Amino acid sequence: MSSKEILQNYVAKTISLTDEQFDYFFSHFKPQSFKKGQAIITAGDRVNCEYFVTAGCLKAFYINDDLKMFILQFAMPTWWASDFDALYSGNIATIGLDCITDAEVLCLTSADREKLCKEIHDIEHFFRWRTNKGYVASQKRLLSFMNNDTKYRYEELMAQYPELYNLVPKQLIAAYLGVSRETLSRLYHS
């Protein structure tokens, strides 16, 4: 399936666009390819784009003052990723975004997103829905972090996204769960 078809199927789950409207919408995206390990956003960058993943897997992460990495998000096909604070506020990036695997993405600039939202009401609805969905997912993850032990969070993650187990190195899953690699190793060997 082409990147255009992947995006069209994803959008069609939320809104109905004519072929002409979708072609116009799609014309604002820039396809990009990245290699495994390649950085897309580095802390300190200016961020102008959000990325819709069509193939591969990305990670959004933060490195604290003690140089400890925290994974905020794994982004697989049909997921969006960026440093959204930097994108929307104009501040410099504090979140890094790089490739766990080779990846194909569609890049949409903030200016083009705003232009599309002003021109086509359904597209504004689509982006509002997508933002709301992401906010709810973040809240659920935070609540799980506050209420559940590591084993439960690990099992919950693997039940929701079983493909992560073979796709993502275990030290990155540990960083997502906020534990050491050794702690994670004990969990999936028990």
Side-chain angles (χ1 to χ4, degrees), residues 51-142:
Y51 302 90
F52 178 76
V53 181
T54 59
C57 186
L58 312 179
K59 75 175 186 293
F61 62 96
Y62 172 75
I63 298 178
N64 71 8
D65 293 339
D66 296 328
L67 301 180
K68 183 175 179 182
M69 179 189 295
F70 296 88
I71 305 292
L72 302 170
Q73 174 193 18
F74 295 114
M76 296 176 286
T78 73
W79 290 32
W80 296 80
S82 190
D83 180 329
F84 292 104
D85 177 43
L87 179 68
Y88 297 141
S89 71
N91 294 330
I92 61 169
T94 55
I95 306 298
L97 182 66
D98 68 20
C99 302
I100 295 172
T101 66
D102 289 352
E104 301 289 328
V105 300
L106 296 172
C107 172
L108 179 66
T109 67
S110 183
D112 280 343
R113 185 191 62 246
E114 292 305 312
K115 175 181 176 270
L116 287 163
C117 287
K118 285 179 184 167
E119 293 175 348
I120 303 173
H121 174 73
D122 283 340
I123 291 174
E124 181 179 32
H125 172 76
F126 166 76
F127 281 111
R128 187 179 72 244
W129 169 85
R130 192 207 75 201
T131 301
N132 291 348
K133 187 177 172 189
Y135 180 75
V136 168
S138 291
Q139 266 190 340
K140 285 182 178 181
R141 180 170 178 220
L142 185 58

Side-chain angles (χ1 to χ4, degrees), residues 158-171:
M158 290 301 106
Q160 274 187 298
Y161 310 107
E163 63 275 20
L164 283 178
Y165 185 81
N166 292 319
L167 183 65
V168 175
K170 303 310 175 266
Q171 72 266 18

Side-chain angles (χ1 to χ4, degrees), residues 140-168:
K140 285 182 178 181
R141 180 170 178 220
L142 185 58
L143 289 171
S144 182
F145 229 84
M146 290 188 281
N147 290 310
N148 300 311
D149 64 18
T150 304
K151 183 172 177 143
Y152 182 90
R153 292 193 325 265
Y154 172 75
E155 290 169 352
E156 183 179 52
L157 180 66
M158 290 301 106
Q160 274 187 298
Y161 310 107
E163 63 275 20
L164 283 178
Y165 185 81
N166 292 319
L167 183 65
V168 175

